[in-house]
């Protein structure tokens, strides 16, 4: 990478409707900030795109100058690939428009929109698509990596609801992906991440969603509760979702918190919640009827930006006795009171989508496991990272094939390959060879193009 000529930068900036930020510019430090406080990267340029042409200009400039390029959607990904050191960031955070076609139950979101904006726009018409549960998460990254939301039992993963996408490829071409136009690319965008280009527009199917009965319920943490939760999860209908977070209060009290949601008539929710409260008395019960958009903001405050995060993840089978002991030992040994062990219950429509709908590999896994180390201050990095790694290793015997790409950290190529499985990975490699043969988009859970001989 050679030193950048300021005149070249100026010429590029003149072509933009948006703007360029460089180290020292007002706004540069704010623009390079992402969710994970461990990520402190200093790009040479942040191109704040305001339209598709700006995206193409930024890509062309990075190629000409041989700069590594990162793509920033909502900035939530903990691996930190939305930023790079010394390279160029294609920043989409000014492209946040969401348009709803209520009659045809479709919504179009620009590449930098967040789930908060998407949910507000679609809920104005009592419609929704499964999305992330924290409103500042980007529509882009979450969708491209899969998307596990509270509507998964009824309507599948977010990416299963992606009908069409418009993207700019590494060659600067504008390409459309849909079931009619480049269907293989649409498949790849459903889980294959930001490997094929910069998606400027996502188009989703919408479903009628008026309200939900939802909220967190805190139970006293115990190993018996884990066994009960595993049984309870088997009984819930598609309308419900129940994820488990083992966490601590600020005073250090261990809790088993169920993040629950039911999307259907209020009276139909009651028997499900009665079952959940039947064996263990809640300490705090936040379940109430809410609009879906309000429910989607419930966990914003407990997900602050700036904490240091290190994640380990994999698909998991049922909580057999050994898994409960292992999970409990991991949780109980956490050095940071902010760290969590999370189980997302995978069920319903997301397991019924026809094979080949998306590139992901959840198979028949019952849970998505996330060992989520969170702490403050770099002095504590080593012990917290070690906790997550060792804890995860002790749970490996209970895992199933497949891992959720959106929760992977900075992993090896082998781990990414395993996450998708041989068959899907080979298909993704073929797509990569077609749309990004030089691996220009490589700051991601990278699909490496086959080496040409
Ligand atoms: C607090 C929190 C809550 C979360 N909740 C959920 C949840 O409920 N469900 C769930 O499934 N996941 C959840 N996630 C994980 C989330 O799906 C991923 O972190 C996802 O990558 C975030 O997308 P983003 O656009 O915000 O991230 P970014 O960091 O901006 O982007 C991540 C990567 O996506 C690619 N990318 C981004 N935008 C584009 C684009 N327009 N075109 C092409 N490539 C692009 C790039 O490779 C980039 O490195 C959560 C994460 C956090 C931190």
């Amino acid at each position: 990478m050679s030193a950048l000529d300021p005149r070249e930068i100026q010429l590029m900036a003149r072509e933009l409707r948006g703007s360029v930020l460089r180290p020292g510019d007002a706004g540069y430090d704010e623009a390079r900030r992402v969710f994970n406080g461990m990520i402190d990267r200093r790009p040479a340029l942040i191109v704040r795109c305001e339209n598709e042409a700006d995206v193409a200009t930024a890509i062309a400039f990075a190629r000409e100058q041989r700069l590594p390029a990162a793509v920033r959607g909502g900035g939530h990904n903990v691996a930190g690939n939305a930023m790079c050191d010394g390279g160029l960031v294609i920043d989409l955070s000014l492209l946040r428009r969401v348009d709803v076609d209520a009659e045809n139950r479709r919504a179009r979101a620009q590449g930098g929109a967040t789930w908060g904006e998407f949910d507000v726009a679609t809920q104005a018409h009592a419609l929704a698509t499964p999305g992330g549960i924290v409103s500042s998460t980007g529509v882009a990254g979450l969708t491209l990596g899969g998307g596990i939301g509270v509507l998964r039992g009824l309507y599948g993963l977010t990416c299963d609801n992606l009908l069409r996408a418009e993207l700019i490829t590494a060659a600067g071409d504008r390409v459309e992906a849909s079931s009619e136009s480049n269907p293989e690319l649409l498949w790849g965008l459903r889980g294959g991440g930001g490997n094929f280009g910069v998606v400027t527009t996502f188009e989703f199917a919408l479903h009628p969603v008026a309200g939900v009965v939802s909220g967190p319920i805190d139970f006293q943490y115990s190993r018996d509760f884990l066994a009960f939760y595993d049984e309870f999860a088997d009984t819930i209908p598609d309308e419900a979702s129940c994820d488990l977070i083992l966490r601590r209060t600020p005073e250090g009290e261990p809790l088993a918190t169920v993040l629950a949601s039911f999307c259907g008539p209020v009276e139909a929710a009651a028997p499900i919640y009665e079952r959940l409260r039947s064996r263990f008395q809640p300490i705090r019960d936040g379940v109430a009827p809410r609009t879906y958009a309000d429910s989607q903001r419930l966990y914003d405050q407990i997900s602050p930006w700036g904490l240091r995060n290190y994640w380990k993840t994999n698909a998991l089978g049922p909580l057999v006795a050994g898994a409960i002991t292992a999970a409990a030992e991991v949780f109980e040994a956490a050095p940071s009171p902010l760290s969590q062990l999370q189980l997302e219950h995978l069920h319903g429509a997301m397991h019924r989508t026809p094979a080949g709908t998306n590139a992901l590999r959840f198979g028949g896994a019952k849970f998505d496991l996330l060992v989520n180390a969170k702490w403050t201050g770099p002095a504590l990095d080593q012990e917290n990272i070690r906790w997550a790694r060792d804890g995860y290793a002790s749970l490996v015997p209970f895992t199933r094939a497949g891992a959720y790409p959106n929760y992977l950290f900075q992993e090896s190529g082998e781990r990414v390959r395993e996450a998708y499985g041989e068959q899907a990975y080979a298909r993704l490699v073929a797509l990569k060879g077609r749309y990004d043969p030089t691996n220009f988009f490589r700051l991601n859970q990278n699909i490496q193009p086959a080496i040409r001989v």
Side-chain angles (χ1 to χ4, degrees), residues 71 73-77 81 92 132-133 138 140-142 144 148 197 199 404 406:
V71 183
H76 254 226
N77 196 278
N81 288 319
L92 302 173
I133 64 162
L142 181 136
L144 295 169
I148 302 172
V199 180
Y404 181 35
N406 269 336

Side-chain angles (χ1 to χ4, degrees), residues 35 71-78 81-82 92 111 131-134 136-142 144 147-149 194 197-199 202 303 311 344 404 406-407 443-444:
F35 178 84
V71 183
R72 186 202 190 274
H76 254 226
N77 196 278
V78 291
N81 288 319
L92 302 173
I133 64 162
V134 172
S136 58
T137 310
V139 168
L142 181 136
L144 295 169
I148 302 172
V198 179
V199 180
F202 295 83
S303 313
W311 293 8
E344 286 170 327
Y404 181 35
N406 269 336
Y407 292 172
L443 295 175
N444 44 39

Side-chain angles (χ1 to χ4, degrees), residues 45-95:
L45 303 171
I46 300 176
V47 179
R48 310 206 79 194
C49 301
E50 287 196 24
N51 56 25
E52 270 187 352
D54 286 358
V55 173
T57 301
I59 292 173
F61 187 79
R63 285 186 69 128
E64 279 158 24
Q65 302 290 329
R66 297 177 180 277
L67 292 170
V71 183
R72 186 202 190 274
H76 254 226
N77 196 278
V78 291
N81 288 319
M83 285 296 134
C84 54
D85 269 325
L88 181 149
V89 173
I90 301 167
D91 180 344
L92 302 173
S93 57
L94 299 176
L95 291 168

Side-chain angles (χ1 to χ4, degrees), residues 183-224:
E184 184 69 1
L185 179 58
L186 178 67
W187 170 83
L189 295 174
R190 290 177 171 166
N195 272 288
F196 310 109
V198 179
V199 180
T200 51
T201 303
F202 295 83
E203 188 169 326
F204 295 97
L206 298 175
H207 311 275
V209 173
V212 289
V213 183
S214 68
I217 311 184
D218 289 337
F219 294 92
Q220 190 170 16
Y221 160 76
S222 70
R223 296 181 184 200
D224 288 345

Side-chain angles (χ1 to χ4, degrees), residues 228-237 242 275 318 345 366-367:
F228 166 73
Y229 167 74
D230 184 66
E231 284 167 27
F232 170 75
D234 286 335
T235 69
I236 68 166
C242 66
R275 255 197 333 273
H345 176 229
K366 183 164 177 181
F367 298 108

Side-chain angles (χ1 to χ4, degrees), residues 5-256:
D5 180 344
R7 283 167 308 180
E8 299 281 347
I9 299 173
Q10 243 176 23
L11 282 176
M12 184 265 289
R14 263 193 230 143
E15 281 181 44
L16 298 172
R17 183 148 110 207
S19 53
V20 175
L21 292 173
R22 306 187 62 192
D25 287 348
Y28 171 83
D29 280 326
E30 184 53 29
R32 72 185 183 89
R33 203 172 146 250
V34 290
F35 178 84
N36 186 357
M38 282 236 282
I39 308 299
D40 182 21
R41 298 192 181 145
R42 302 185 67 81
L45 303 171
I46 300 176
V47 179
R48 310 206 79 194
C49 301
E50 287 196 24
N51 56 25
E52 270 187 352
D54 286 358
V55 173
T57 301
I59 292 173
F61 187 79
R63 285 186 69 128
E64 279 158 24
Q65 302 290 329
R66 297 177 180 277
L67 292 170
V71 183
R72 186 202 190 274
H76 254 226
N77 196 278
V78 291
N81 288 319
M83 285 296 134
C84 54
D85 269 325
L88 181 149
V89 173
I90 301 167
D91 180 344
L92 302 173
S93 57
L94 299 176
L95 291 168
R96 306 168 86 113
R97 197 178 151 140
V98 179
D99 293 311
V100 180
D101 173 356
E103 207 180 312
N104 293 304
R105 293 190 180 164
R106 298 278 170 98
R108 285 165 61 88
Q110 286 187 311
T114 63
W115 283 104
E117 289 144 2
F118 188 92
D119 290 334
V120 166
T122 56
Q123 277 285 281
H125 305 275
L127 296 168
T129 210
I133 64 162
V134 172
S135 71
S136 58
T137 310
V139 168
L142 181 136
T143 303
L144 295 169
I148 302 172
V150 300
L151 302 177
R152 78 197 77 141
L154 279 175
Y155 304 121
L157 297 169
T158 308
C159 66
D160 299 334
N161 291 275
L162 177 68
L163 299 175
R164 206 175 141 270
E166 291 163 18
L167 61 158
I168 309 288
T169 66
D173 298 328
R174 188 176 174 282
V175 175
E176 182 185 320
S178 68
S179 55
E180 291 83 38
S181 182
N182 302 309
E184 184 69 1
L185 179 58
L186 178 67
W187 170 83
L189 295 174
R190 290 177 171 166
N195 272 288
F196 310 109
V198 179
V199 180
T200 51
T201 303
F202 295 83
E203 188 169 326
F204 295 97
L206 298 175
H207 311 275
V209 173
V212 289
V213 183
S214 68
I217 311 184
D218 289 337
F219 294 92
Q220 190 170 16
Y221 160 76
S222 70
R223 296 181 184 200
D224 288 345
F225 185 83
L226 296 187
F228 166 73
Y229 167 74
D230 184 66
E231 284 167 27
F232 170 75
D234 286 335
T235 69
I236 68 166
D238 290 355
E239 289 83 355
S241 79
C242 66
D243 297 330
L244 179 69
I245 299 192
L246 303 183
R247 67 187 186 104
R248 287 178 196 277
T249 63
E251 294 73 37
E253 177 196 9
L255 294 175

